[in-house]
Amino acid sequence: MSTVPADAGDSRTPGGRLAGWERATRGEVVARHGAGQHTVRRHNLALVLREVAGPHPVSRAAVAASTGLTRGTVSSLVEELISAGLVTELEAARGGTGRPASPLRLDPSGPAGLGVEIGVDSVGVCVVDLTGAVRARRVVGSDHRDDVPAVGLATAEALAAEVVAEAGLVIAGAAVALPGVVGTDGVLLRAPNLPRWVDVAVGDELGGRLGLPVQAGNEADLAALAELWSGGPADAVHVSGGIGVGAGILLGGTLFRGAGGRAGEIGHVVVEPDGPPCSCGGRGCLETAAGLEAMLRAADAPDLESLVAAPPPDVLARVGRALGVALAGAVNLLDVPAVVLGGSYPRCGAALLDAVRAELAARVVSRPAVDVRFSTLGADAALRGAATAVVHDLLADPAAAKRP
């Protein structure tokens, strides 16, 4: 599986913004700013690495043929990528005629991405290597609703140290997934379920603690990207269900964040105008019907495990209807062909899926049936997406890689 998006760009934007997926392609950057020798080499490094990052090992000759670069140039660039720990050369196959070629692949022991997720009641950390494999992962309970941000940041710092030590890889950078609106400057503007986390530069503050560049992004956005990178649909609304409910919107394989990074706040779309009060200050929001705590109250269940063990069909039907009402508006507005239910929703089973499908079928009349599916990554999607985003940015600009 290739880990390089077609539209990957330069991720080093001010303020820790998670923006590698929203900017021009590397080729467009070269064209816009001119093609000096250093710029051309940087572009060609990324070009060669993109070929090596494909689904199968490739030879230097094959890279030269596919890129149009000379074999000498390719060999020079490959040596630089090997020196940076990004590429490794496999043993040549024996038995053929002529000099056997040594296949190239991404180096699983090279620089890695660190993903952090600070949720409402948990902190997760994982390390993903250049091939996309998770090398270490840990999630701990940590309730942040009544604490100042420094408490959650300290928990993330300590957990990250443990996970990085376990992985044993050089960490190129980190990204943090957050349950709220993250502005274009990387600042967590507001998180309705974290009332004390207002205008917090989480990326910068966590980066200072970890000694790493840290990007910040909305957890539903990162979950949507993770699903895309694992083979999911390129045009979809990915709903991340937990204590809060958020959505990541993919259009043509590109994350749509809106003018200020606020797109996807589906949890605060009103589904019952006279419904119960919501943490955002409104009433009848989707979160009050389909958020995890609302589901547990309706089912009289102490936790998700109990709910999953004996899911009440009437509760799942009501949750599915509320999701369908909110998602019908999104599908009718955006004309997306797919909906992915992530977070805690996949554990609820087919009854929830069927209820959402039925509601969408009744409310979406201008397009063929919507493909409604569960996330393949479930509750790990945002955490995986955060770590993998770092890897994608690294592969898009290998000149920025730390030496192992």
Short mmCIF file of all heavy atoms in Angstrom, two decimals, residues 133-185:
data_model
loop_
_atom_site.label_atom_id
_atom_site.label_comp_id
_atom_site.label_asym_id
_atom_site.label_seq_id
_atom_site.Cartn_x
_atom_site.Cartn_y
_atom_site.Cartn_z
N ALA A 133 2.93 0.70 9.36
CA ALA A 133 2.70 -0.26 10.44
C ALA A 133 2.76 0.43 11.80
O ALA A 133 3.61 1.29 12.03
CB ALA A 133 3.73 -1.38 10.38
N VAL A 134 1.85 0.05 12.69
CA VAL A 134 1.86 0.56 14.06
C VAL A 134 2.92 -0.20 14.85
O VAL A 134 2.85 -1.42 14.99
CB VAL A 134 0.49 0.39 14.72
CG1 VAL A 134 0.54 0.85 16.17
CG2 VAL A 134 -0.58 1.18 13.96
N ARG A 135 3.89 0.51 15.38
CA ARG A 135 5.00 -0.12 16.09
C ARG A 135 4.82 -0.13 17.60
O ARG A 135 5.42 -0.94 18.31
CB ARG A 135 6.31 0.59 15.72
CG ARG A 135 6.61 0.55 14.23
CD ARG A 135 6.86 -0.88 13.74
NE ARG A 135 8.11 -1.36 14.27
CZ ARG A 135 9.29 -1.21 13.66
NH1 ARG A 135 9.34 -0.61 12.47
NH2 ARG A 135 10.39 -1.66 14.20
N ALA A 136 4.02 0.78 18.11
CA ALA A 136 3.71 0.81 19.54
C ALA A 136 2.45 1.64 19.72
O ALA A 136 2.24 2.62 19.00
CB ALA A 136 4.86 1.40 20.35
N ARG A 137 1.62 1.26 20.69
CA ARG A 137 0.35 1.95 20.90
C ARG A 137 -0.08 1.78 22.34
O ARG A 137 0.07 0.71 22.93
CB ARG A 137 -0.72 1.38 19.99
CG ARG A 137 -2.14 1.87 20.27
CD ARG A 137 -3.16 1.01 19.57
NE ARG A 137 -4.53 1.36 19.95
CZ ARG A 137 -5.13 0.91 21.05
NH1 ARG A 137 -4.49 0.08 21.87
NH2 ARG A 137 -6.38 1.27 21.31
N ARG A 138 -0.64 2.84 22.91
CA ARG A 138 -1.17 2.76 24.26
C ARG A 138 -2.27 3.81 24.43
O ARG A 138 -2.13 4.94 23.97
CB ARG A 138 -0.06 2.96 25.29
CG ARG A 138 -0.39 2.43 26.68
CD ARG A 138 0.86 2.35 27.53
NE ARG A 138 1.89 1.54 26.89
CZ ARG A 138 3.15 1.45 27.31
NH1 ARG A 138 3.52 2.16 28.37
NH2 ARG A 138 4.02 0.69 26.70
N VAL A 139 -3.34 3.42 25.12
CA VAL A 139 -4.44 4.32 25.44
C VAL A 139 -4.75 4.20 26.92
O VAL A 139 -4.84 3.08 27.44
CB VAL A 139 -5.71 3.99 24.61
CG1 VAL A 139 -6.85 4.93 24.99
CG2 VAL A 139 -5.43 4.09 23.11
N VAL A 140 -4.90 5.34 27.61
CA VAL A 140 -5.20 5.32 29.03
C VAL A 140 -6.40 6.22 29.31
O VAL A 140 -6.65 7.19 28.58
CB VAL A 140 -4.00 5.79 29.89
CG1 VAL A 140 -2.79 4.88 29.69
CG2 VAL A 140 -3.63 7.23 29.57
N GLY A 141 -7.15 5.91 30.35
CA GLY A 141 -8.24 6.77 30.77
C GLY A 141 -7.71 8.04 31.40
O GLY A 141 -6.76 8.01 32.19
N SER A 142 -8.30 9.17 31.04
CA SER A 142 -7.85 10.46 31.56
C SER A 142 -8.96 11.48 31.29
O SER A 142 -9.09 11.97 30.18
CB SER A 142 -6.54 10.90 30.89
OG SER A 142 -6.10 12.15 31.37
N ASP A 143 -9.77 11.77 32.28
CA ASP A 143 -10.92 12.65 32.11
C ASP A 143 -10.49 14.11 32.20
O ASP A 143 -9.90 14.54 33.19
CB ASP A 143 -11.98 12.36 33.17
CG ASP A 143 -13.34 12.93 32.78
OD1 ASP A 143 -13.39 14.12 32.40
OD2 ASP A 143 -14.33 12.19 32.85
N HIS A 144 -10.77 14.88 31.14
CA HIS A 144 -10.29 16.26 31.04
C HIS A 144 -11.39 17.30 31.15
O HIS A 144 -11.14 18.49 30.96
CB HIS A 144 -9.56 16.44 29.70
CG HIS A 144 -8.51 15.41 29.45
ND1 HIS A 144 -8.49 14.62 28.31
CD2 HIS A 144 -7.47 15.01 30.21
CE1 HIS A 144 -7.46 13.81 28.38
NE2 HIS A 144 -6.84 14.00 29.51
N ARG A 145 -12.60 16.89 31.46
CA ARG A 145 -13.72 17.83 31.44
C ARG A 145 -13.60 18.94 32.48
O ARG A 145 -14.05 20.06 32.24
CB ARG A 145 -15.04 17.07 31.62
CG ARG A 145 -15.52 16.44 30.33
CD ARG A 145 -16.69 15.52 30.53
NE ARG A 145 -16.24 14.21 30.99
CZ ARG A 145 -16.93 13.08 30.79
NH1 ARG A 145 -18.08 13.13 30.16
NH2 ARG A 145 -16.47 11.94 31.22
N ASP A 146 -13.00 18.63 33.63
CA ASP A 146 -12.94 19.64 34.69
C ASP A 146 -11.54 20.17 34.95
O ASP A 146 -11.35 21.01 35.82
CB ASP A 146 -13.50 19.04 36.00
CG ASP A 146 -14.95 18.63 35.87
OD1 ASP A 146 -15.70 19.37 35.20
OD2 ASP A 146 -15.34 17.58 36.43
N ASP A 147 -10.55 19.66 34.21
CA ASP A 147 -9.16 20.06 34.46
C ASP A 147 -8.68 21.09 33.45
O ASP A 147 -9.19 21.18 32.33
CB ASP A 147 -8.24 18.83 34.38
CG ASP A 147 -8.33 17.96 35.62
OD1 ASP A 147 -8.56 18.51 36.70
OD2 ASP A 147 -8.17 16.73 35.49
N VAL A 148 -7.66 21.83 33.85
CA VAL A 148 -7.02 22.76 32.94
C VAL A 148 -6.23 21.96 31.91
O VAL A 148 -5.85 20.81 32.14
CB VAL A 148 -6.08 23.72 33.70
CG1 VAL A 148 -6.88 24.62 34.64
CG2 VAL A 148 -5.02 22.95 34.47
N PRO A 149 -5.96 22.54 30.74
CA PRO A 149 -5.26 21.80 29.68
C PRO A 149 -3.92 21.22 30.11
O PRO A 149 -3.52 20.17 29.60
CB PRO A 149 -5.08 22.86 28.59
CG PRO A 149 -6.23 23.79 28.78
CD PRO A 149 -6.44 23.85 30.27
N ALA A 150 -3.21 21.88 31.03
CA ALA A 150 -1.89 21.40 31.42
C ALA A 150 -1.93 19.98 31.95
O ALA A 150 -0.97 19.21 31.79
CB ALA A 150 -1.29 22.33 32.47
N VAL A 151 -3.04 19.58 32.57
CA VAL A 151 -3.15 18.23 33.12
C VAL A 151 -3.17 17.20 31.99
O VAL A 151 -2.44 16.21 32.01
CB VAL A 151 -4.40 18.09 34.01
CG1 VAL A 151 -4.57 16.65 34.48
CG2 VAL A 151 -4.31 19.05 35.19
N GLY A 152 -4.00 17.43 31.01
CA GLY A 152 -4.06 16.52 29.87
C GLY A 152 -2.77 16.50 29.07
O GLY A 152 -2.33 15.45 28.60
N LEU A 153 -2.15 17.65 28.91
CA LEU A 153 -0.88 17.72 28.18
C LEU A 153 0.22 16.95 28.91
O LEU A 153 1.04 16.29 28.28
CB LEU A 153 -0.48 19.17 27.98
CG LEU A 153 -1.37 20.00 27.05
CD1 LEU A 153 -1.00 21.47 27.12
CD2 LEU A 153 -1.26 19.49 25.62
N ALA A 154 0.22 17.02 30.23
CA ALA A 154 1.22 16.27 31.00
C ALA A 154 1.01 14.77 30.85
O ALA A 154 1.98 14.01 30.74
CB ALA A 154 1.14 16.68 32.47
N THR A 155 -0.24 14.34 30.84
CA THR A 155 -0.53 12.92 30.64
C THR A 155 -0.05 12.47 29.27
O THR A 155 0.56 11.40 29.12
CB THR A 155 -2.04 12.66 30.78
OG1 THR A 155 -2.46 13.07 32.08
CG2 THR A 155 -2.36 11.18 30.60
N ALA A 156 -0.32 13.28 28.26
CA ALA A 156 0.12 12.94 26.90
C ALA A 156 1.63 12.89 26.82
O ALA A 156 2.20 12.00 26.16
CB ALA A 156 -0.44 13.97 25.91
N GLU A 157 2.30 13.83 27.48
CA GLU A 157 3.76 13.86 27.46
C GLU A 157 4.34 12.58 28.06
O GLU A 157 5.25 11.95 27.49
CB GLU A 157 4.26 15.08 28.24
CG GLU A 157 5.77 15.17 28.36
CD GLU A 157 6.21 16.29 29.29
OE1 GLU A 157 5.33 16.95 29.91
OE2 GLU A 157 7.43 16.51 29.41
N ALA A 158 3.82 12.18 29.21
CA ALA A 158 4.34 10.99 29.89
C ALA A 158 4.07 9.73 29.08
O ALA A 158 4.94 8.85 28.94
CB ALA A 158 3.72 10.87 31.28
N LEU A 159 2.87 9.63 28.52
CA LEU A 159 2.53 8.45 27.75
C LEU A 159 3.35 8.38 26.46
O LEU A 159 3.79 7.29 26.05
CB LEU A 159 1.04 8.46 27.42
CG LEU A 159 0.45 7.16 26.87
CD1 LEU A 159 0.58 6.04 27.88
CD2 LEU A 159 -1.01 7.37 26.49
N ALA A 160 3.59 9.53 25.84
CA ALA A 160 4.39 9.56 24.62
C ALA A 160 5.81 9.07 24.89
O ALA A 160 6.38 8.34 24.07
CB ALA A 160 4.42 10.97 24.05
N ALA A 161 6.37 9.44 26.02
CA ALA A 161 7.73 8.99 26.35
C ALA A 161 7.79 7.47 26.43
O ALA A 161 8.73 6.83 25.95
CB ALA A 161 8.19 9.63 27.66
N GLU A 162 6.77 6.86 27.03
CA GLU A 162 6.73 5.40 27.16
C GLU A 162 6.59 4.73 25.79
O GLU A 162 7.28 3.74 25.49
CB GLU A 162 5.56 4.99 28.05
CG GLU A 162 5.67 5.46 29.49
CD GLU A 162 4.42 5.11 30.29
OE1 GLU A 162 3.59 4.33 29.77
OE2 GLU A 162 4.28 5.60 31.43
N VAL A 163 5.71 5.26 24.96
CA VAL A 163 5.45 4.63 23.66
C VAL A 163 6.65 4.79 22.72
O VAL A 163 7.01 3.86 21.99
CB VAL A 163 4.17 5.22 23.05
CG1 VAL A 163 3.96 4.72 21.62
CG2 VAL A 163 2.97 4.86 23.91
N VAL A 164 7.28 5.95 22.74
CA VAL A 164 8.45 6.18 21.90
C VAL A 164 9.58 5.24 22.32
O VAL A 164 10.27 4.66 21.47
CB VAL A 164 8.90 7.65 21.99
CG1 VAL A 164 10.28 7.84 21.36
CG2 VAL A 164 7.88 8.56 21.30
N ALA A 165 9.77 5.07 23.61
CA ALA A 165 10.81 4.15 24.09
C ALA A 165 10.52 2.72 23.63
O ALA A 165 11.42 1.97 23.24
CB ALA A 165 10.90 4.22 25.61
N GLU A 166 9.26 2.33 23.67
CA GLU A 166 8.89 0.98 23.25
C GLU A 166 9.12 0.79 21.75
O GLU A 166 9.59 -0.28 21.31
CB GLU A 166 7.42 0.73 23.58
CG GLU A 166 6.92 -0.64 23.16
CD GLU A 166 5.45 -0.84 23.44
OE1 GLU A 166 4.88 -0.09 24.27
OE2 GLU A 166 4.85 -1.75 22.82
N ALA A 167 8.80 1.80 20.95
CA ALA A 167 8.96 1.67 19.50
C ALA A 167 10.43 1.62 19.09
O ALA A 167 10.79 0.91 18.15
CB ALA A 167 8.25 2.83 18.80
N GLY A 168 11.27 2.38 19.76
CA GLY A 168 12.70 2.35 19.48
C GLY A 168 13.08 2.95 18.14
O GLY A 168 14.10 2.57 17.57
N LEU A 169 12.29 3.87 17.61
CA LEU A 169 12.57 4.50 16.33
C LEU A 169 12.81 6.00 16.50
O LEU A 169 12.33 6.60 17.47
CB LEU A 169 11.39 4.30 15.37
CG LEU A 169 11.03 2.86 15.00
CD1 LEU A 169 9.76 2.85 14.16
CD2 LEU A 169 12.17 2.18 14.27
N VAL A 170 13.53 6.59 15.56
CA VAL A 170 13.68 8.04 15.53
C VAL A 170 12.33 8.66 15.16
O VAL A 170 11.69 8.24 14.19
CB VAL A 170 14.74 8.47 14.51
CG1 VAL A 170 14.76 9.99 14.36
CG2 VAL A 170 16.11 7.97 14.92
N ILE A 171 11.86 9.61 15.94
CA ILE A 171 10.57 10.24 15.68
C ILE A 171 10.78 11.52 14.89
O ILE A 171 11.47 12.44 15.32
CB ILE A 171 9.84 10.55 17.00
CG1 ILE A 171 9.66 9.27 17.82
CG2 ILE A 171 8.50 11.21 16.72
CD1 ILE A 171 8.85 8.18 17.12
N ALA A 172 10.17 11.55 13.71
CA ALA A 172 10.35 12.70 12.82
C ALA A 172 9.49 13.88 13.25
O ALA A 172 9.85 15.04 13.00
CB ALA A 172 10.01 12.30 11.39
N GLY A 173 8.37 13.62 13.86
CA GLY A 173 7.46 14.67 14.26
C GLY A 173 6.21 14.04 14.83
O GLY A 173 6.09 12.82 14.91
N ALA A 174 5.28 14.87 15.25
CA ALA A 174 4.05 14.37 15.87
C ALA A 174 2.86 15.17 15.39
O ALA A 174 2.98 16.30 14.92
CB ALA A 174 4.17 14.44 17.40
N ALA A 175 1.69 14.56 15.53
CA ALA A 175 0.42 15.24 15.29
C ALA A 175 -0.52 14.85 16.41
O ALA A 175 -0.48 13.72 16.90
CB ALA A 175 -0.16 14.87 13.94
N VAL A 176 -1.37 15.79 16.82
CA VAL A 176 -2.29 15.54 17.92
C VAL A 176 -3.72 15.73 17.44
O VAL A 176 -4.05 16.73 16.79
CB VAL A 176 -1.97 16.45 19.13
CG1 VAL A 176 -1.97 17.92 18.75
CG2 VAL A 176 -2.94 16.20 20.28
N ALA A 177 -4.56 14.76 17.74
CA ALA A 177 -5.98 14.79 17.38
C ALA A 177 -6.78 15.32 18.56
O ALA A 177 -6.60 14.86 19.70
CB ALA A 177 -6.46 13.39 17.01
N LEU A 178 -7.67 16.27 18.30
CA LEU A 178 -8.38 16.96 19.36
C LEU A 178 -9.90 16.96 19.11
O LEU A 178 -10.34 17.07 17.97
CB LEU A 178 -7.89 18.42 19.46
CG LEU A 178 -6.39 18.57 19.75
CD1 LEU A 178 -5.95 19.99 19.47
CD2 LEU A 178 -6.09 18.17 21.18
N PRO A 179 -10.70 16.90 20.18
CA PRO A 179 -12.15 16.80 20.02
C PRO A 179 -12.85 18.15 19.97
O PRO A 179 -13.74 18.45 20.76
CB PRO A 179 -12.56 16.03 21.28
CG PRO A 179 -11.60 16.52 22.33
CD PRO A 179 -10.29 16.75 21.60
N GLY A 180 -12.44 18.99 19.05
CA GLY A 180 -13.03 20.31 18.96
C GLY A 180 -12.62 21.01 17.68
O GLY A 180 -12.00 20.42 16.79
N VAL A 181 -12.92 22.29 17.60
CA VAL A 181 -12.61 23.09 16.41
C VAL A 181 -11.16 23.55 16.49
O VAL A 181 -10.76 24.24 17.42
CB VAL A 181 -13.54 24.32 16.33
CG1 VAL A 181 -13.16 25.19 15.14
CG2 VAL A 181 -14.99 23.87 16.22
N VAL A 182 -10.39 23.14 15.50
CA VAL A 182 -8.97 23.54 15.42
C VAL A 182 -8.84 24.53 14.27
O VAL A 182 -9.16 24.21 13.12
CB VAL A 182 -8.06 22.32 15.18
CG1 VAL A 182 -6.60 22.76 15.09
CG2 VAL A 182 -8.24 21.30 16.30
N GLY A 183 -8.40 25.72 14.58
CA GLY A 183 -8.29 26.77 13.57
C GLY A 183 -7.16 26.52 12.60
O GLY A 183 -6.34 25.62 12.76
N THR A 184 -7.10 27.36 11.57
CA THR A 184 -6.06 27.21 10.55
C THR A 184 -4.67 27.49 11.09
O THR A 184 -3.68 27.17 10.45
CB THR A 184 -6.35 28.14 9.37
OG1 THR A 184 -6.49 29.48 9.84
CG2 THR A 184 -7.63 27.73 8.66
N ASP A 185 -4.58 28.09 12.29
CA ASP A 185 -3.27 28.33 12.91
C ASP A 185 -2.91 27.24 13.91
O ASP A 185 -1.92 27.36 14.64
CB ASP A 185 -3.25 29.69 13.61
CG ASP A 185 -4.34 29.84 14.66
OD1 ASP A 185 -5.14 28.88 14.83
OD2 ASP A 185 -4.41 30.90 15.31
#
